[in-house]
Amino acid sequence: MNEPKHPSVIAREALRRLATSQLAPTPANYQACYNEIANLPNTPVFPEAQLRELLGELPARNAAQGKHLDKLSAAIAKRSWQGVKESLAAFAQAGEPHLHEEVVHALAPALPGEFAGKLARFVECVLPALGDEDSRILSVAGELLLLLRQPRVEIGQVQALFGSLTHQAVFAAEEQVEIKGSLLKLLHLIIENIGELSTDDSWLKGQIDGLLASVAPPLTLRHLDEMERRLRDVMEKQGRAKSRSVEAQAEMRHMLAEFIERLGVMNKSSTEFEGRIEASARQIEQVSRIEDLKPLLDDVIVATHAMAEETASSREQLKSLQEKVVVTEAELIHLHQELDSASALARHDPLTDALNRKGLEEAMEREISSMRRKEVPLSVSLLDIDNFKKLNDRLGHEAGDRALVHLVDVARRTMRPSDTLARYGGEEFVVLMPDTKLEQGIEAMARLQRELTKAIYMSGSEKILITFSAGVAQLAVDESGTDAIRRADQAMYLAKRAGKNRVMGG
C-alpha cells in the first residue's frame, strides 16, 4: 500500500504540473492540481465576496424576505453552500411570483458595461467588411447588438450569439478573401493582355509593368493611393506627349505629300520644257533664213528662263520642307524621350523616388548580365531601419515617411554613381554594388551608417538618430538575384540579433 505523500512533496508536484500543463498560476488552478495529486475532492473555492455583493443587491419586500436574507448572510459567513441554496429558495418563495426569475437572473454572471459597449462597437466596425449579402449574419449581428446595449448583459447569452456570429463570419470572410484573390487574378490577366497587344509602345509597356507591380500582394490602401497619384501624373504627361506626337506625325505625312506633289510638278515642268526644246530644235533645222531664226531663239530663251525660275522656286520649297522635316523629326525624338521618361516613373517608388520592386528586377538583371560578361564581382545589400515601428507609433506615419526620404537622400550622396538603390518594401532597401567584393560592400554600408549618424534627422524640433542594420552578399557566378537577396536578408537578421546598427556578410 502506498504511503501518503507529505504536503510539501504534493505542493512541489502541483507546481510542476502547473508549469507542464501551461496553466495560469491562479489559486484555483493550483488547488485543482494539488487535490488531484493528493486524491482529494476538488471543491470549488467559496465565492464569499460575490455572494455578499449579491446579498446587497436583493431587496426585502416583506418581513419574511428580510428574515431569509439574514439567514443567507449567516450561511455565507459559515461558507455553507447548502444554507445559501435554502435561504435563496425560501427568499424567492416569500416574495412575488416573478421574484424567483429575478434571483436567477441576478445570480447569472454579467459582462461589465464598458466591455459590452466596446464589444458592440467592434461588431459594428466588422460588419461592413463582411458585406451585406448574407441575411443570417445581419440577423445575428442585429440581435447581438440589441443585447449588448441592455443595462445588464448576461455572459451566457452573449457567448451563444457571439459564437453563432463568429461561425457565420468565418465563412463570409473566407468568401471575401477568395473574391479578392479572383479579382486580382482577373486584373492581372487584363493588364498582361493589354501589354501583349501593345507591340511597339515601350512607354505603355513601362506603365503596364508599374501597374502589375502595384497590384502585387500584400495590398494596402496607402500603397494603392500612392500608386494612383503617381500613375495619374504619368498618364497626364503621357497623354500630352502622345497627343503632340500624333500631331507631329500628321505634319510629317502632310510634308511628305507636299514633297511628292512638288516632285510631280517639277517632273511635269521638265517634260514640257523638254518637249518645247525638241520642237524648237526641229524648227531650227528647217530654217533657211537668219531672220527666221531669231523668233525661235527667243522662244527657247523664254522657256529656259521659265524652267530656271520654276526650278529655283521648287528648290526653295524643297529646302523649306527639308528644314521642317528636320525640326519635326527632332521634336518626335524629344517626345519619345519624354514618353520613356514618364514610363520610367512607374518603376520608381512614389514616396522616396528610389526604384520599386519592378525597377529593382530590371536593374538586377542588367547588373548580373554585366557581371558575367565582364567577369567582375557584384555585391547586394539589404538594409532595414532600426526601431522604425516605434518611430511611427511615437511620431506618426508622416514623420516615418520623412525619415525614409531622409535615408534615401543620405544614401544617394554617399553611394557611387554606378550603385543602384531600390525600396524593397516598408523600411527595407536594397543596394546593388557592381564591381564590388563582399568586404568592400560591407565597408560601403558601414560608411553609409557613419554618414547617416552625422546627418541628424529633425522631426519638428526633435533630433532623431536613424540607424539601420544591413546584410551584404556577393553573388556567385551561377546565383540568381533573388537567392543573393535572401542571403543578404539572413545576414541582416543576424545583425539585428547582434544589437542592431551593424553590417554583416552572408
Side-chain angles (χ1 to χ4, degrees):
M1 185 173 179
N2 294 332
E3 295 183 4
K5 295 181 180 179
H6 192 274
S8 62
V9 176
I10 298 174
R12 285 195 295 273
E13 288 188 13
L15 289 173
R16 281 198 296 270
R17 183 167 296 185
L18 274 176
T20 304
S21 304
Q22 297 183 345
L23 295 172
T26 61
N29 287 340
Y30 172 77
Q31 184 68 49
C33 291
Y34 187 97
N35 291 342
E36 184 180 352
I37 296 169
N39 293 321
L40 297 174
N42 188 28
T43 305
V45 179
F46 190 82
E48 182 174 354
Q50 290 86 345
L51 289 174
R52 290 286 179 192
E53 184 179 354
L54 172 63
L55 179 62
E57 294 290 333
L58 292 176
R61 290 185 170 84
N62 51 49
Q65 284 188 333
K67 186 186 299 183
H68 292 307
L69 286 180
D70 292 337
K71 290 182 180 180
L72 175 60
S73 177
I76 294 172
K78 295 177 183 178
R79 308 174 77 83
S80 169
W81 270 116
Q82 186 63 30
V84 169
K85 292 178 183 178
E86 292 174 354
S87 301
L88 284 174
F91 174 82
Q93 291 175 357
E96 299 174 5
H98 64 276
L99 189 59
H100 179 70
E101 295 179 1
E102 292 180 4
V103 174
V104 173
H105 180 69
L107 284 171
L111 280 179
E114 183 180 357
F115 181 74
K118 289 181 178 179
L119 188 57
R121 286 193 293 274
F122 170 76
V123 173
E124 289 173 336
C125 292
V126 168
L127 273 180
L130 299 176
D132 54 2
E133 292 84 7
D134 196 329
S135 59
R136 293 171 298 178
I137 291 180
L138 297 177
S139 174
V140 175
E143 190 175 350
L144 179 58
L145 288 173
L146 286 175
L147 177 63
L148 290 172
R149 293 191 178 101
Q150 298 297 320
R152 188 177 186 279
V153 184
E154 292 183 16
I155 293 179
Q157 291 178 301
V158 173
Q159 283 179 328
L161 284 174
F162 199 76
S164 177
L165 179 63
T166 303
H167 180 72
Q168 300 293 338
V170 167
F171 291 109
E174 289 176 352
E175 186 178 14
Q176 291 293 329
V177 170
E178 291 179 3
I179 290 173
K180 177 183 174 182
S182 298
L183 286 175
L184 277 177
K185 287 180 182 177
L186 287 174
L187 183 57
H188 268 273
L189 285 174
I190 292 171
I191 296 174
E192 288 173 358
N193 186 49
I194 293 173
E196 291 296 327
L197 292 175
S198 174
T199 57
D200 58 351
D201 287 333
S202 58
W203 58 271
L204 179 58
K205 184 179 184 303
Q207 188 169 320
I208 293 297
D209 292 340
L211 276 173
L212 287 173
S214 69
V215 297
L219 293 177
T220 65
L221 287 176
R222 187 178 185 143
H223 182 210
L224 290 175
D225 287 343
E226 289 176 351
M227 284 305 302
E228 180 184 2
R229 179 180 59 79
R230 175 56 63 91
L231 284 174
R232 284 187 182 279
D233 183 54
V234 171
M235 290 166 65
E236 182 183 355
K237 291 180 179 179
Q238 288 177 342
R240 292 198 303 267
K242 183 69 174 178
S243 176
R244 183 64 192 105
S245 176
V246 171
E247 291 175 4
Q249 290 176 13
E251 290 176 6
M252 288 283 283
R253 287 193 296 270
H254 179 69
M255 286 187 288
L256 180 59
E258 286 188 13
F259 182 78
I260 293 173
E261 182 182 356
R262 177 52 54 187
L263 287 179
V265 171
M266 289 179 65
N267 182 59
K268 181 180 178 182
S269 299
S270 177
T271 302
E272 291 177 354
F273 175 72
E274 183 180 353
R276 291 180 66 179
I277 294 298
E278 288 179 355
S280 297
R282 287 194 298 270
Q283 290 177 3
I284 289 173
E285 290 175 357
Q286 298 173 3
V287 170
S288 56
R289 296 182 307 161
I290 190 74
E291 56 269 19
D292 294 334
L293 187 60
K294 184 179 180 305
L296 294 176
L297 290 177
D298 290 341
D299 188 47
V300 169
I301 291 171
V302 170
T304 302
H305 278 301
M307 183 62 190
E309 291 176 358
E310 180 71 24
T311 302
S313 174
S314 296
R315 187 184 299 112
E316 289 299 322
Q317 290 182 11
L318 289 176
K319 184 179 179 182
S320 176
L321 279 174
Q322 186 180 20
E323 291 173 353
K324 287 182 179 179
V325 167
V326 171
V327 171
T328 306
E329 185 179 16
E331 186 177 6
L332 281 172
I333 292 173
H334 178 69
L335 287 170
H336 280 291
Q337 289 174 344
E338 284 190 358
L339 287 171
D340 291 339
S341 175
S343 175
L345 292 176
R347 291 173 170 81
H348 286 73
D349 173 57
L351 174 64
T352 62
D353 204 36
L355 290 178
N356 59 18
R357 282 284 191 106
K358 183 63 181 178
L360 174 62
E361 289 175 7
E362 295 175 355
M364 179 73 80
E365 186 177 349
R366 259 192 332 268
E367 295 297 348
I368 291 178
S369 297
S370 177
M371 175 195 78
R372 291 170 180 166
R373 186 174 63 256
K374 299 177 182 178
E375 296 183 351
V376 294
L378 172 64
S379 290
V380 56
S381 174
L382 179 69
L383 63 91
D384 182 276
I385 297 179
D386 297 324
N387 305 315
F388 187 72
K389 185 178 184 302
K390 291 182 180 178
L391 188 150
N392 261 344
D393 293 343
R394 188 168 69 86
L395 300 177
H397 287 289
E398 186 176 349
D401 287 347
R402 290 198 300 271
L404 295 175
V405 174
H406 176 75
L407 169 66
V408 170
D409 290 343
V410 175
R412 285 198 173 113
R413 295 197 300 268
T414 308
M415 291 164 45
R416 303 171 302 175
S418 58
D419 296 337
T420 300
L421 177 67
R423 187 178 180 187
Y424 197 62
E427 65 273 22
E428 291 184 331
F429 292 85
V430 168
V431 181
L432 303 182
M433 296 173 282
D435 199 13
T436 303
K437 294 182 179 179
L438 178 62
E439 297 77 12
Q440 296 170 324
I442 293 174
E443 173 54 34
M445 290 299 100
R447 184 167 58 253
L448 175 55
Q449 284 182 326
R450 292 193 294 271
E451 291 300 319
L452 193 61
T453 302
K454 296 176 187 176
I456 299 297
Y457 165 61
M458 299 293 296
S459 177
S461 59
E462 183 178 356
K463 294 181 178 179
I464 306 295
L465 176 62
I466 299 176
T467 64
F468 65 81
S469 302
V472 182
Q474 180 178 336
L475 271 81
V477 176
D478 57 348
E479 187 178 24
S480 69
T482 302
D483 290 339
I485 291 177
R486 186 180 297 114
R487 288 198 291 118
D489 184 37
Q490 292 170 350
M492 184 271 292
Y493 177 73
L494 293 177
K496 291 276 189 186
R497 291 290 300 273
K500 301 180 181 179
N501 197 23
R502 286 171 168 77
V503 182
M504 290 193 174

